[in-house]
PDB file of all heavy atoms in Angstrom:
ATOM      1  N   ARG A  54      -3.492  -0.657  -7.439  1.00  0.00           N
ATOM      2  CA  ARG A  54      -2.847  -0.832  -6.134  1.00  0.00           C
ATOM      3  C   ARG A  54      -1.351  -1.071  -6.309  1.00  0.00           C
ATOM      4  O   ARG A  54      -0.534  -0.569  -5.531  1.00  0.00           O
ATOM      5  CB  ARG A  54      -3.517  -1.965  -5.365  1.00  0.00           C
ATOM      6  CG  ARG A  54      -4.950  -1.617  -4.977  1.00  0.00           C
ATOM      7  CD  ARG A  54      -5.547  -2.562  -3.985  1.00  0.00           C
ATOM      8  NE  ARG A  54      -5.804  -3.894  -4.478  1.00  0.00           N
ATOM      9  CZ  ARG A  54      -6.972  -4.326  -4.931  1.00  0.00           C
ATOM     10  NH1 ARG A  54      -8.025  -3.502  -4.984  1.00  0.00           N
ATOM     11  NH2 ARG A  54      -7.122  -5.573  -5.326  1.00  0.00           N
ATOM     12  N   LEU A  55      -0.979  -1.808  -7.331  1.00  0.00           N
ATOM     13  CA  LEU A  55       0.444  -2.026  -7.605  1.00  0.00           C
ATOM     14  C   LEU A  55       1.121  -0.698  -7.940  1.00  0.00           C
ATOM     15  O   LEU A  55       2.245  -0.434  -7.494  1.00  0.00           O
ATOM     16  CB  LEU A  55       0.616  -3.044  -8.737  1.00  0.00           C
ATOM     17  CG  LEU A  55       2.044  -3.465  -9.050  1.00  0.00           C
ATOM     18  CD1 LEU A  55       2.744  -4.044  -7.831  1.00  0.00           C
ATOM     19  CD2 LEU A  55       2.036  -4.491 -10.190  1.00  0.00           C
ATOM     20  N   GLN A  56       0.439   0.157  -8.680  1.00  0.00           N
ATOM     21  CA  GLN A  56       0.993   1.472  -9.007  1.00  0.00           C
ATOM     22  C   GLN A  56       1.220   2.290  -7.735  1.00  0.00           C
ATOM     23  O   GLN A  56       2.254   2.941  -7.579  1.00  0.00           O
ATOM     24  CB  GLN A  56       0.055   2.229  -9.956  1.00  0.00           C
ATOM     25  CG  GLN A  56       0.564   3.595 -10.357  1.00  0.00           C
ATOM     26  CD  GLN A  56      -0.367   4.313 -11.324  1.00  0.00           C
ATOM     27  OE1 GLN A  56      -1.119   3.688 -12.066  1.00  0.00           O
ATOM     28  NE2 GLN A  56      -0.329   5.625 -11.306  1.00  0.00           N
ATOM     29  N   ILE A  57       0.261   2.251  -6.802  1.00  0.00           N
ATOM     30  CA  ILE A  57       0.408   2.970  -5.536  1.00  0.00           C
ATOM     31  C   ILE A  57       1.651   2.477  -4.798  1.00  0.00           C
ATOM     32  O   ILE A  57       2.470   3.268  -4.324  1.00  0.00           O
ATOM     33  CB  ILE A  57      -0.856   2.784  -4.660  1.00  0.00           C
ATOM     34  CG1 ILE A  57      -2.046   3.519  -5.278  1.00  0.00           C
ATOM     35  CG2 ILE A  57      -0.598   3.259  -3.228  1.00  0.00           C
ATOM     36  CD1 ILE A  57      -3.390   3.142  -4.673  1.00  0.00           C
ATOM     37  N   VAL A  58       1.812   1.159  -4.711  1.00  0.00           N
ATOM     38  CA  VAL A  58       2.948   0.573  -3.993  1.00  0.00           C
ATOM     39  C   VAL A  58       4.256   0.912  -4.697  1.00  0.00           C
ATOM     40  O   VAL A  58       5.260   1.225  -4.049  1.00  0.00           O
ATOM     41  CB  VAL A  58       2.754  -0.946  -3.815  1.00  0.00           C
ATOM     42  CG1 VAL A  58       4.017  -1.608  -3.280  1.00  0.00           C
ATOM     43  CG2 VAL A  58       1.575  -1.210  -2.884  1.00  0.00           C
ATOM     44  N   ARG A  59       4.258   0.890  -6.015  1.00  0.00           N
ATOM     45  CA  ARG A  59       5.466   1.248  -6.757  1.00  0.00           C
ATOM     46  C   ARG A  59       5.874   2.689  -6.474  1.00  0.00           C
ATOM     47  O   ARG A  59       7.055   2.987  -6.294  1.00  0.00           O
ATOM     48  CB  ARG A  59       5.258   1.041  -8.258  1.00  0.00           C
ATOM     49  CG  ARG A  59       5.176  -0.431  -8.648  1.00  0.00           C
ATOM     50  CD  ARG A  59       4.926  -0.623 -10.121  1.00  0.00           C
ATOM     51  NE  ARG A  59       6.115  -0.222 -10.870  1.00  0.00           N
ATOM     52  CZ  ARG A  59       6.078   0.172 -12.140  1.00  0.00           C
ATOM     53  NH1 ARG A  59       4.945   0.263 -12.792  1.00  0.00           N
ATOM     54  NH2 ARG A  59       7.192   0.488 -12.754  1.00  0.00           N
ATOM     55  N   GLU A  60       4.891   3.601  -6.420  1.00  0.00           N
ATOM     56  CA  GLU A  60       5.196   5.006  -6.137  1.00  0.00           C
ATOM     57  C   GLU A  60       5.715   5.168  -4.714  1.00  0.00           C
ATOM     58  O   GLU A  60       6.678   5.919  -4.487  1.00  0.00           O
ATOM     59  CB  GLU A  60       3.962   5.879  -6.366  1.00  0.00           C
ATOM     60  CG  GLU A  60       3.625   6.038  -7.837  1.00  0.00           C
ATOM     61  CD  GLU A  60       2.454   6.971  -8.085  1.00  0.00           C
ATOM     62  OE1 GLU A  60       2.366   8.021  -7.386  1.00  0.00           O
ATOM     63  OE2 GLU A  60       1.635   6.673  -8.965  1.00  0.00           O
ATOM     64  N   LEU A  61       5.098   4.493  -3.755  1.00  0.00           N
ATOM     65  CA  LEU A  61       5.576   4.574  -2.374  1.00  0.00           C
ATOM     66  C   LEU A  61       6.994   4.026  -2.250  1.00  0.00           C
ATOM     67  O   LEU A  61       7.826   4.598  -1.543  1.00  0.00           O
ATOM     68  CB  LEU A  61       4.639   3.810  -1.435  1.00  0.00           C
ATOM     69  CG  LEU A  61       3.307   4.491  -1.130  1.00  0.00           C
ATOM     70  CD1 LEU A  61       2.389   3.521  -0.393  1.00  0.00           C
ATOM     71  CD2 LEU A  61       3.520   5.760  -0.326  1.00  0.00           C
ATOM     72  N   ALA A  62       7.266   2.922  -2.925  1.00  0.00           N
ATOM     73  CA  ALA A  62       8.605   2.324  -2.873  1.00  0.00           C
ATOM     74  C   ALA A  62       9.635   3.241  -3.531  1.00  0.00           C
ATOM     75  O   ALA A  62      10.753   3.389  -3.031  1.00  0.00           O
ATOM     76  CB  ALA A  62       8.599   0.955  -3.541  1.00  0.00           C
ATOM     77  N   ALA A  63       9.273   3.876  -4.624  1.00  0.00           N
ATOM     78  CA  ALA A  63      10.203   4.755  -5.335  1.00  0.00           C
ATOM     79  C   ALA A  63      10.521   6.005  -4.524  1.00  0.00           C
ATOM     80  O   ALA A  63      11.664   6.461  -4.496  1.00  0.00           O
ATOM     81  CB  ALA A  63       9.620   5.140  -6.694  1.00  0.00           C
ATOM     82  N   LYS A  64       9.525   6.557  -3.845  1.00  0.00           N
ATOM     83  CA  LYS A  64       9.724   7.783  -3.058  1.00  0.00           C
ATOM     84  C   LYS A  64      10.383   7.504  -1.718  1.00  0.00           C
ATOM     85  O   LYS A  64      10.982   8.396  -1.131  1.00  0.00           O
ATOM     86  CB  LYS A  64       8.393   8.487  -2.813  1.00  0.00           C
ATOM     87  CG  LYS A  64       7.690   8.941  -4.057  1.00  0.00           C
ATOM     88  CD  LYS A  64       8.328  10.159  -4.642  1.00  0.00           C
ATOM     89  CE  LYS A  64       7.460  10.649  -5.790  1.00  0.00           C
ATOM     90  NZ  LYS A  64       8.081  11.593  -6.643  1.00  0.00           N
ATOM     91  N   GLU A  65      10.219   6.278  -1.207  1.00  0.00           N
ATOM     92  CA  GLU A  65      10.748   5.914   0.115  1.00  0.00           C
ATOM     93  C   GLU A  65      10.332   6.925   1.171  1.00  0.00           C
ATOM     94  O   GLU A  65      11.122   7.311   2.041  1.00  0.00           O
ATOM     95  CB  GLU A  65      12.271   5.755   0.068  1.00  0.00           C
ATOM     96  CG  GLU A  65      12.722   4.608  -0.815  1.00  0.00           C
ATOM     97  CD  GLU A  65      14.222   4.397  -0.772  1.00  0.00           C
ATOM     98  OE1 GLU A  65      14.931   5.093  -0.017  1.00  0.00           O
ATOM     99  OE2 GLU A  65      14.693   3.514  -1.499  1.00  0.00           O
ATOM    100  N   ALA A  66       9.087   7.379   1.079  1.00  0.00           N
ATOM    101  CA  ALA A  66       8.551   8.350   2.030  1.00  0.00           C
ATOM    102  C   ALA A  66       7.043   8.182   2.094  1.00  0.00           C
ATOM    103  O   ALA A  66       6.449   7.534   1.233  1.00  0.00           O
ATOM    104  CB  ALA A  66       8.898   9.768   1.581  1.00  0.00           C
ATOM    105  N   GLU A  67       6.448   8.776   3.120  1.00  0.00           N
ATOM    106  CA  GLU A  67       4.998   8.784   3.196  1.00  0.00           C
ATOM    107  C   GLU A  67       4.454   9.803   2.196  1.00  0.00           C
ATOM    108  O   GLU A  67       5.039  10.869   2.002  1.00  0.00           O
ATOM    109  CB  GLU A  67       4.532   9.170   4.598  1.00  0.00           C
ATOM    110  CG  GLU A  67       4.805   8.110   5.631  1.00  0.00           C
ATOM    111  CD  GLU A  67       4.274   8.529   7.007  1.00  0.00           C
ATOM    112  OE1 GLU A  67       4.138   9.736   7.277  1.00  0.00           O
ATOM    113  OE2 GLU A  67       4.008   7.624   7.797  1.00  0.00           O
ATOM    114  N   LEU A  68       3.331   9.461   1.595  1.00  0.00           N
ATOM    115  CA  LEU A  68       2.678  10.360   0.645  1.00  0.00           C
ATOM    116  C   LEU A  68       1.207  10.494   1.026  1.00  0.00           C
ATOM    117  O   LEU A  68       0.606   9.549   1.545  1.00  0.00           O
ATOM    118  CB  LEU A  68       2.769   9.796  -0.778  1.00  0.00           C
ATOM    119  CG  LEU A  68       4.164   9.576  -1.352  1.00  0.00           C
ATOM    120  CD1 LEU A  68       4.076   8.862  -2.689  1.00  0.00           C
ATOM    121  CD2 LEU A  68       4.892  10.906  -1.506  1.00  0.00           C
TER     122      LEU A  68
END
Side-chain angles (χ1 to χ4, degrees):
R54 293 192 291 263
L55 185 57
Q56 181 179 334
I57 291 167
V58 171
R59 290 178 70 204
E60 288 184 40
L61 285 170
K64 298 285 187 194
E65 295 184 3
E67 290 182 335
L68 300 173

